[in-house]
Amino acid sequence: MLSVDLLLFICLAYVVLLFAVAFLVDRRARQGLLPWLRSPLIYTLSISVYCTSWTFYGAVGSAARNGLEFVTIYLGPTLVFIGWWWLLRKLVRIGRVHRITSIADLISSRYGKSSSLAVLVTLMSVIAITPYIALQLQSVTRSYQIVAGEADGAATAFWIAAGMALFTILFGTRNLDANERHHGVVAAIALEAIVKLVALIAVGIFAVYGLAGGWKEIFADVPLEVIYGGESVFSLRWVALTFLSATAIICLPRQFQVTVVENVEERHLSTASWAFPLYLFGMSLFVMPIAIAGLKFLPAGANPDLFVLTLPLNQGRQDLALLAFLGGFSSAASMVIVAAIAVSTMLSNHIVMPIALQFLSSRQEVSGDVRSLLLTTRRISIAFILGLGFLYFRLSGGSDALAAIGLIAFAGVAQFLPSLLGGIFWRGATRTGALAGLSAGFLLWAYTLFLPSFGSDFPQVTALLEQGPWGIAELRPRALLGLQMEDPLIHALVWSLGLNSLLFLIVSGFSGVRPLERLQGALFVDVFRSAGGETPRFIRGTATSEDLFVLAQRILGRDPARALFDEMARSEGATGQLPPPSDAVIARLERELSGSVGAASAHAMVSRIAGREMVSISELIDIADETQRLIETSRQLSIKSSELERAARQLREANERLRTLDARKDEFLSQVSHELRTPMTSIRSFSEILLGQEEVTAEEKERFVAIIHEESLRLTRLLDEILDISRLEAGTLQLPLGPVDPSGAITSAMATVSGLARKNKVEMRCDPLPEGLLVQANEDRLRQVLINLLSNAVKYNHAEAPEILVRAQLRGEALTIDVVDNGGGVDRKEAGAVFEKFTRGSRAWLDQGAGLGLPISRAIMRTMGGDLTVEFGPKGSTFFRVRLAIAEAAGRPKAAAGE
């Protein structure tokens, strides 16, 4: 055990350090000297307020009792930040645009700035958060008793609560405007986040390497039931716990405070989307090893919830136990401080302020009087909230029932989810639907889950659980209407959240949307489309500038009000005097005041000053309809603009193709004229010699006539080729098709080319073809194509030992015939152009040709329903492939090898 005096000194020093950090950061932030406060790392660490003492101590206890079930508490927030961070981004944008101060303010503002909704959400938050604060007091008190020995638990809890209240009052209520970030508090929470992470990892390393000897040894001889806790992984309870933890990271008042209200820059969410899950991974990494080490090395009956402390103490490591104590204290303190700030803001804005509004008009206006009232109220509210937590701790006697209060609180705040999500994604959501859903869900949560948590402390509750009210068994809290589930948490969640969602949807569907709700709904749902984030006017003002200035002074104070009105005067072109009470001025004032007193109270106060003259329903509907039409028109213009850009791009591409085709046409004509002129020149020259007066010998005459005949044949072939390709491309050449034996066509073509092959010393061979196979083709034209491919392969093969291989394979419902040679094939760069008319490759010097053979061959194959392509094999080799359809009458033969 540590000395009580030493422990008190260290605790006091740690508290003084937190006070000093908060004070210095708050002071220097006001001077603009700490730009690092805008760091996404500080923002991410502040979100770690999610990891309370229930997570720090209770996760190990849960792992010891239920195995891996503790993972769900970390898995839910991880899924939200990784997969649904866009939802958090929308909440942050709404909070920034509408100067939202709390989750109650957001829900009430969305549904027509309803004060009744704000009060309901505030009361639900207070009830759900009170036992959670008691849990933090209990964890710190028990850990103090473990480290320092037996002490008066009540006195310890009281002084801890008093210290936390003092810190929160000093640094959480320095500003009235909740949108002015609590930089000192956030910095202190970031420091505590580091302390609790380091403490838990230190204890984990000690358990794994100091006691067990390594990761392998810590899990040695551990039964599977200890790992899985006797519960099937990914069971219904796993799903429920993951859902609750995911909901809590959005709906817990303290999480909404740090994630939305304290957010400095929206882009910090992108960093938090991976950094916060990484932090949770660090917090969860050693939970199971610590639990296993506690079960192995601590005496039987040791409290698993305190393994983090008792494990190092049992081994004589007081220094490590002290670090663990500070980690648990940090976890509890950060939660209590932020929760108290959030809930006190809701209490002052939505309960105290509406009451104060009833007396404002009867009092003499004093600069800052409302400001002073609200600041005082928030400080009293903080003390009240901490007092409620302490009272709950005393009434429960610090019983083990508090151990499950974390999940109970999660289920309580989960009731906000339908109204919250429906409000920011569904225009048709109404205030009536939200009230019905929240009321029913909260009552069922309190009856089926919150009330039964007192069963071990109050006999009346035990009787209610066993017999039901007035002896009606169908109304038992854990078997409502006879629906009894093995897990009370799932039973309560199904009833409360199920009825909540159902009533919200049904009542919203059947209730009318008020004009103000319609406008607020459009602003929230389309928050990313809002121009400049300005809120449209809801009030037709009849107030004077002096009345508005007095109202601003009473809430903001003299200097802030003067600065605000000077800025508005400059924007209105009224420098040196108060701005005129225009719609824009009144809207801006309401928006600024909402950051201090909440949207509902600000709306009520400005409405009172402005004479309560509201815009008519028809005018509001017209405004909403016009807004929607503008949004739709903007969307249509964006679509049309995209279509025009696409059409312009297609036009440019078509223009480029036309220019290419025109160039090819000129090239084609040039090539045709050149190819025709060459034989014509020879025919003319030798004809003139024969017709001239020159004497020629009989031998010369015979040679000249032979040349004229050969050139005439060449000219005829060229004209036939041009005619063929023109008719083939135009589709006017009709080829009679029928079943053809491809083996015969290949054999005939190879025989025709054999003489040329022998002359060029090229070896030709053919792999066996499938027997009995017929293809749909024209035999003469197929032979023409094969002869062209084979002759090209012979003429352009420059290998030392030239070879040509013809192989045929079945590929689905087609036969492919490949002509492969070892002479280098077609260059990959030239492959796309070899089928263009009059195009010849880099080896054209080896033979005189017009460059029409391959284009004609491809056109013939496509006319026959097949194709001719260049294929690329391994190691960059290329070959030509003929593809033919199998004749239907032939049936399907046995597949060739390689099919």
Side-chain angles (χ1 to χ4, degrees):
M1 299 295 176
L2 289 174
S3 165
V4 174
D5 294 336
L6 177 61
L7 182 61
L8 287 176
F9 173 78
I10 294 174
C11 291
L12 182 61
Y14 183 66
V15 172
V16 169
L17 174 63
L18 293 179
F19 271 76
V21 168
F23 176 78
L24 291 176
V25 169
D26 209 18
R27 179 179 176 181
R28 294 180 69 83
R30 291 176 178 276
Q31 300 171 354
L33 300 177
L34 291 176
W36 57 267
L37 282 173
R38 293 182 173 270
S39 164
L41 178 62
I42 299 296
Y43 176 68
T44 301
L45 289 174
S46 70
I47 300 175
S48 70
V49 71
Y50 174 81
C51 298
T52 66
S53 62
W54 175 57
T55 308
F56 188 86
Y57 293 120
V60 175
S62 175
R65 297 185 185 96
N66 305 311
L68 289 174
E69 184 182 279
F70 80 93
V71 173
T72 58
I73 304 303
Y74 303 95
L75 181 59
T78 299
L79 292 175
V80 171
F81 271 82
I82 292 179
W84 298 339
W85 73 276
W86 48 268
L87 170 62
L88 300 175
R89 178 171 173 257
K90 188 166 189 177
L91 290 174
V92 168
R93 178 66 64 86
I94 290 172
R96 183 182 302 277
V97 170
H98 299 276
R99 298 183 65 79
I100 299 298
T101 61
S102 64
I103 190 170
D105 193 26
L106 183 139
I107 293 176
S108 66
S109 179
R110 160 59 181 89
Y111 297 101
K113 304 189 177 182
S114 168
S115 58
S116 56
L117 262 178
V119 171
L120 177 60
V121 174
T122 299
L123 293 177
M124 290 172 63
S125 299
V126 171
I127 295 174
I129 211 68
T130 296
Y132 210 166
I133 292 176
L135 173 62
Q136 311 308 310
L137 297 178
Q138 173 185 290
S139 66
V140 176
T141 300
R142 286 187 175 180
S143 61
Y144 178 83
Q145 291 173 330
I146 291 293
V147 175
E150 291 299 324
D152 187 348
T156 303
F158 174 80
W159 288 112
I160 291 172
M164 291 179 179
L166 178 62
F167 182 91
T168 310
I169 289 172
L170 286 178
F171 298 102
T173 59
R174 298 171 69 89
N175 309 312
L176 180 61
D177 189 346
N179 285 139
E180 291 183 18
R181 277 73 187 176
H182 305 90
H183 295 296
V185 173
V186 169
I189 291 172
L191 174 62
E192 290 179 316
I194 297 173
V195 170
K196 60 189 177 187
L197 178 62
V198 170
L200 197 58
I201 290 178
V203 175
I205 293 175
F206 171 72
V208 172
Y209 296 100
L211 296 179
W215 280 97
K216 184 178 180 180
E217 290 76 7
I218 192 70
F219 289 100
D221 303 324
V222 178
L224 287 179
E225 54 267 21
V226 174
I227 302 295
Y228 296 111
E231 184 76 23
S232 173
V233 181
F234 307 123
S235 63
L236 187 59
R237 179 174 174 83
W238 268 65
V239 175
L241 293 180
T242 303
F243 170 77
L244 279 179
S245 58
T247 302
I249 203 70
I250 301 171
C251 297
L252 278 172
R254 69 173 187 272
Q255 292 304 136
F256 189 91
Q257 179 73 28
V258 295
T259 306
V260 177
V261 179
E262 299 292 345
N263 178 272
V264 177
E265 293 186 26
E266 191 175 301
R267 61 185 177 87
H268 289 176
L269 271 174
S270 60
T271 301
S273 65
W274 61 265
F276 181 60
L278 190 63
Y279 182 92
L280 292 180
F281 175 76
M283 289 293 293
S284 63
L285 181 61
F286 288 98
V287 168
M288 182 58 76
I290 295 173
I292 293 175
L295 295 174
K296 284 185 175 182
F297 298 105
L298 290 178
N303 187 352
D305 288 330
L306 297 172
F307 278 178
V308 177
L309 278 174
T310 54
L311 197 60
L313 280 175
N314 183 262
Q315 302 297 319
R317 292 294 306 272
Q318 282 84 3
D319 56 339
L320 192 58
L322 179 60
L323 179 61
F325 172 79
L326 291 179
F329 178 80
S330 298
S331 302
S334 59
M335 177 269 161
V336 171
I337 290 169
V338 179
I341 291 175
V343 178
S344 67
T345 299
M346 288 190 269
L347 283 172
S348 65
N349 286 357
H350 306 304
I351 294 181
V352 175
M353 193 61 204
I355 296 174
L357 279 176
Q358 304 299 322
F359 306 98
L360 284 177
S361 58
S362 60
R363 294 181 54 186
Q364 184 179 0
E365 291 80 358
V366 179
S367 176
D369 60 339
V370 177
R371 173 186 174 87
S372 300
L373 171 65
L374 287 178
L375 286 176
T376 302
T377 301
R378 289 182 186 175
R379 290 162 182 163
I380 294 174
S381 298
I382 290 171
F384 173 72
I385 293 164
L386 269 297
L388 281 181
F390 175 73
L391 180 63
Y392 190 96
F393 170 79
R394 289 287 292 158
L395 291 177
S396 65
S399 69
D400 290 334
L402 286 176
I405 209 64
L407 290 177
I408 295 174
F410 278 15
V413 297
Q415 306 307 317
F416 301 149
L417 190 65
S419 300
L420 181 67
L421 294 184
I424 65 175
F425 291 110
W426 182 28
R427 290 172 178 267
T430 67
R431 180 185 68 92
T432 310
L435 279 172
L438 283 170
S439 301
F442 181 70
L443 290 176
L444 281 172
W445 165 79
Y447 183 70
T448 59
L449 194 62
F450 183 66
L451 184 62
S453 67
F454 294 93
S456 59
D457 299 309
F458 297 95
Q460 298 86 347
V461 177
T462 303
L464 181 69
L465 293 175
E466 295 175 353
Q467 304 170 13
W470 308 289
I472 304 174
E474 287 74 13
L475 297 181
R476 286 177 297 166
R478 289 182 174 171
L480 203 57
L481 299 184
L483 180 62
Q484 189 166 2
M485 298 184 182
E486 184 177 349
D487 193 330
L489 177 66
I490 298 177
H491 172 267
L493 194 62
V494 168
W495 274 109
S496 61
L497 201 56
L499 189 60
N500 182 343
S501 303
L502 188 63
L503 283 178
F504 172 70
L505 293 172
I506 293 176
V507 176
S508 292
F510 284 96
S511 59
V513 182
R514 296 184 304 165
L516 192 52
E517 287 180 63
R518 178 180 296 187
L519 284 175
Q520 289 293 95
L523 291 171
F524 275 57
V525 173
D526 299 322
V527 66
F528 291 111
R529 300 181 184 178
S530 300
E534 292 297 331
T535 305
R537 284 283 300 116
F538 305 131
I539 305 168
R540 177 171 290 147
T542 58
T544 64
S545 300
E546 288 75 13
D547 293 336
L548 297 175
F549 182 59
V550 169
L551 175 62
Q553 284 189 101
R554 300 183 69 180
I555 297 176
L556 303 177
R558 180 177 288 105
D559 293 339
R562 169 54 64 185
L564 172 63
F565 271 69
D566 287 345
E567 180 185 344
M568 292 192 295
R570 287 192 296 270
S571 63
E572 293 287 327
T575 306
Q577 55 184 327
L578 293 177
S582 62
D583 286 350
V585 168
I586 296 176
R588 171 72 185 279
L589 177 60
E590 181 178 331
R591 183 168 173 267
E592 293 295 328
L593 296 184
S594 66
S596 298
V597 299
S601 296
H603 180 67
M605 297 177 73
V606 174
S607 298
R608 179 189 297 271
I609 296 295
R612 295 180 179 269
E613 184 181 354
M614 304 297 293
V615 179
S616 68
I617 292 178
S618 60
E619 289 177 311
L620 280 174
I621 293 175
D622 289 343
I623 294 172
D625 291 342
E626 181 64 24
T627 302
Q628 185 59 33
R629 283 196 297 271
L630 287 174
I631 293 173
E632 182 63 23
T633 301
S634 176
R635 189 181 66 84
Q636 293 293 339
L637 286 174
S638 178
I639 294 174
K640 292 295 183 184
S641 177
S642 300
E643 291 177 351
L644 287 174
E645 289 179 3
R646 186 164 54 252
R649 184 173 62 256
Q650 292 172 349
L651 185 59
R652 286 193 298 270
E653 292 172 355
N655 228 1
E656 188 63 30
R657 285 197 299 271
L658 286 174
R659 280 196 294 269
T660 303
L661 290 174
D662 186 60
R664 287 184 182 178
K665 182 258 300 179
D666 293 340
E667 184 181 358
F668 175 76
L669 292 176
S670 175
Q671 290 282 358
V672 168
S673 63
H674 172 74
E675 296 294 335
L676 291 176
R677 188 179 295 112
T678 301
M680 289 293 292
T681 301
S682 297
I683 293 171
R684 180 179 176 182
S685 297
F686 288 107
S687 298
E688 289 176 349
I689 292 174
L690 291 174
L691 294 173
Q693 301 300 321
E694 298 181 24
E695 293 185 5
V696 294
T697 64
E699 184 181 349
E700 289 177 331
K701 182 182 295 185
E702 183 180 353
R703 182 166 61 87
F704 291 164
V705 170
I707 292 174
I708 292 173
H709 182 262
E710 183 181 344
E711 292 298 324
S712 298
L713 292 177
R714 179 182 171 189
L715 183 59
T716 302
R717 286 196 304 271
L718 181 60
L719 291 173
D720 288 341
E721 287 178 343
I722 294 173
L723 181 61
D724 278 352
I725 198 168
S726 298
R727 292 168 63 191
L728 285 167
E729 289 184 345
T732 58
L733 180 62
Q734 299 297 324
L735 298 178
L737 304 179
V740 175
D741 179 9
S743 179
I746 294 173
T747 302
S748 176
M750 293 181 69
T752 302
V753 183
S754 60
L756 181 63
R758 188 179 303 109
K759 177 182 177 183
N760 292 330
K761 299 180 180 180
V762 178
E763 180 185 352
M764 293 193 302
R765 55 191 177 88
C766 179
D767 285 348
L769 271 69
E771 297 178 1
L773 176 67
L774 298 178
V775 294
Q776 192 75 8
N778 180 282
E779 187 170 3
D780 292 336
R781 292 293 187 172
L782 177 58
R783 189 181 301 112
Q784 176 186 345
V785 171
L786 293 174
I787 289 172
N788 180 267
L789 295 178
L790 289 169
S791 61
N792 283 346
V794 170
K795 289 185 290 186
Y796 299 128
N797 195 323
H798 59 277
E800 293 183 2
E803 295 179 354
I804 297 175
L805 170 65
V806 179
R807 65 190 179 200
Q809 290 181 328
L810 274 175
R811 298 178 184 273
E813 297 299 325
L815 174 72
T816 61
I817 303 173
D818 296 339
V819 178
V820 186
D821 69 82
N822 64 343
V826 178
D827 187 270
R828 187 179 288 268
K829 295 180 180 178
E830 299 174 348
V834 294
F835 294 110
E836 296 180 4
K837 295 183 288 292
F838 299 107
T839 299
R840 306 175 67 202
S842 58
R843 292 180 292 168
W845 58 273
L846 294 172
D847 181 70
Q848 298 292 327
L852 292 174
L854 287 177
I856 290 175
S857 297
R858 169 177 271 190
I860 290 172
M861 292 307 305
R862 290 183 173 177
T863 303
M864 293 191 301
D867 203 357
L868 173 62
T869 58
V870 177
E871 302 294 332
F872 296 90
K875 300 181 181 179
S877 61
T878 59
F879 54 90
F880 286 93
R881 170 169 291 171
V882 174
R883 186 175 290 104
L884 290 160
I886 298 174
E888 296 181 1
R892 186 178 177 88
K894 294 181 180 179
E899 182 178 354

